[in-house]
Amino acid sequence: MGSTIRPSADLRNHYNEISKQCKESREAVIITVNGRGDTAVLGLQDYYQMKSELELLRTLAEAEDDVKNGRIAPIQNSFDDIRGSLLKREKG
């Protein structure tokens, strides 16, 4: 992901332009204060996508840790548990 660097005054004075740039380029805009990076502005859709991808990576890392530490079970057991939960919901 690339980024554009803009001073904080631009956020106040050119918000619409920055918003449009984030949405169209799908890249972050870095806002600086006194010449130093302070804030990253990202289009909302890209933020949600990034958040979802991060959650997926965390889940995969947890699953990998489970496998490394022997916390595994045959897949059929998992399917049986899911099936049982669904049947309870239907009856409940």
Side-chain angles (χ1 to χ4, degrees):
M1 175 184 291
S3 58
T4 301
I5 299 173
R6 310 240 340 219
S8 59
D10 280 4
L11 187 58
R12 180 177 50 253
N13 298 325
H14 302 285
Y15 173 80
N16 289 337
E17 179 183 318
I18 292 172
S19 176
K20 182 179 177 183
Q21 180 180 355
C22 288
K23 291 174 190 170
E24 289 178 357
S25 71
R26 302 198 65 189
E27 295 180 348
V29 173
I30 305 301
I31 304 299
T32 62
V33 174
N34 297 324
R36 294 184 172 204
D38 181 73
T39 304
V41 179
L42 189 63
L44 189 59
Q45 194 63 34
D46 292 310
Y47 167 77
Y48 286 142
Q49 181 177 345
M50 186 183 301
K51 192 173 174 183
S52 294
E53 289 171 359
L54 183 57
E55 183 61 32
L56 176 60
L57 289 172
R58 284 183 182 141
T59 300
L60 291 172
E62 288 173 8
E64 185 177 15
D65 186 60
D66 286 344
V67 170
K68 283 181 182 176
N69 290 298
R71 294 185 301 264
I72 58 174
I75 191 70
Q76 191 59 50
N77 293 2
S78 298
F79 286 145
D80 291 344
D81 291 344
I82 292 168
R83 195 173 290 111
S85 293
L86 292 173
L87 289 172
K88 285 181 185 176
R89 283 186 185 177
E90 286 179 3
K91 292 178 182 178

